[in-house]
Every structure is written in structure tokens, then in C-alpha cells.
Amino acid sequence: MSGGARGQELEVGFDTVASWLDALDRLFYCHRVPPSSRRVSRALKKERKLYLWDWSEVAEPVARFENMVAGHLLKAVHCWSDLGYGEFDLWYLQDKEKREVDFLVTDARKPVVLIECKLADERPSAALEHFAGQLGDLPRLQLVRVPGVDRRVRRTRIVSAARLLGGLP
């Protein structure tokens, strides 16, 4: 659903909804991750994904897990940038064919790594493979909530989120 349709459901204007979301961002209730469309054919370019800083408020397990990962990754890219390691940003990828990768980390707008979140699925995501090929055979991670996982399947590292996120700043 587009932002305009959401505003119509609420019977308020798009600008009003945008200012509410900006206020919630400034109050550290939520944060938004923009889509990346550079070097990706038929990519979506407008809607940012909204995540809550307190992911425990998210009821659905898959969304809560993705929300938790988003918070950790955003803090990490901010830390790396603040420490002068580069100009890191967090994005997501989605194209008009509905293929989506949850996160793309960039440094100075150059893609660094693709990250997909799955509760327990240890088969590499087809979308990860698709976008990695378009972006120059990037490293790809598939984070799972299952503990004790760390293996490679072709060019994708499938790893427990606790293992990977525990090593982030």
C-alpha cells in the first residue's frame, strides 16, 4: 500500500503522516530504512521501511526478528561512520517483481554486504543470489534465529543472528 493510500485510510494528508513519522523518528520511537536503487534494475525507489527501536513491541515473530536485526545493523553502521571507518549506510532492496533483501550495507554508497533475515530457513534466499549478482557478486549473509548455525551454502554464509550481531559494536 502506498503512503498516499495510508493517508487516505487515516483521512489525513500525506504531509501530516510524514511529519508524524518524522516526529517519531526524532523521539527515537522508530527508524526508517530507505530502499536502494543504485545499479539494481526495476528497483523500488520510494517507500522506506519502518522499524521500532523497541522491537519487543512487534507481535509477529518474523517481523520482530527483522526489526531486531535492523536496530543492531543501524547502530553498527552509525558507529563505524562515527569512528571514521567510512561513510556507512543501511538500505533494503526490492524490485518490481517483489524480490526483496532485508538489508544492504554500503560504504560511500558502494555496496558492501547483503543481509537476509529468516527465522529458521537455512536454504539460501533466491533474492540474495539475484541481487548479489546484480551488484557485483557481493558477500551475502543469511541470519537465522536458530542458535549454533554457521556454515556456507555456495556463496552465502548462513549464520545465527546471535553469533553475528554479538560481534557488532
Side-chain angles (χ1 to χ4, degrees):
M1 180 183 317
S2 71
R6 287 187 188 115
Q8 290 171 352
E9 280 182 13
L10 297 172
E11 296 182 9
V12 296
F14 177 82
D15 292 338
T16 301
V17 172
S19 69
W20 289 345
L21 290 174
D22 288 341
L24 291 171
D25 272 345
R26 287 190 304 275
L27 292 169
F28 294 98
Y29 179 74
C30 63
H31 59 95
R32 291 176 280 176
V33 174
S36 175
S37 59
R38 294 185 64 173
R39 297 173 34 195
V40 174
S41 63
R42 300 182 48 77
L44 295 182
K45 298 177 182 166
K46 292 188 180 180
E47 293 238 0
R48 293 184 287 170
K49 289 171 76 173
L50 184 129
Y51 295 100
L52 302 181
W53 280 113
D54 182 1
W55 57 80
S56 68
E57 291 186 34
V58 180
E60 204 274 317
V62 173
R64 182 173 46 248
F65 179 62
E66 182 180 329
N67 207 123
M68 179 199 67
V69 171
H72 282 288
L73 290 174
L74 187 61
K75 286 186 250 179
V77 299
H78 286 171
C79 180
W80 297 330
S81 294
D82 291 348
L83 290 171
Y85 297 146
E87 297 173 31
F88 291 92
D89 287 300
L90 186 63
W91 311 83
Y92 77 94
L93 291 168
Q94 184 177 7
D95 64 16
K96 293 177 182 168
E97 284 74 32
K98 304 273 189 220
R99 289 179 291 233
E100 181 178 330
V101 170
D102 296 323
F103 305 105
L104 167 67
V105 175
T106 62
D107 180 11
R109 299 282 180 152
K110 288 181 60 181
V112 174
V113 64
L114 289 165
I115 302 169
E116 179 69 14
C117 300
K118 301 285 185 190
L119 286 181
D121 189 357
E122 295 184 29
R123 293 170 294 163
S125 160
L128 264 179
E129 300 296 321
H130 171 78
F131 286 118
Q134 281 195 11
L135 295 170
D137 204 28
L138 284 182
R140 41 203 165 260
L141 297 171
Q142 185 161 308
L143 301 184
V144 293
R145 194 173 67 174
V146 179
V149 176
D150 192 354
R151 63 189 182 91
R152 287 200 179 277
V153 177
R154 293 181 300 278
R155 303 215 9 110
T156 301
R157 181 177 176 199
I158 300 169
V159 62
S160 297
R163 174 172 282 195
L164 183 88
L165 300 177
L168 294 178

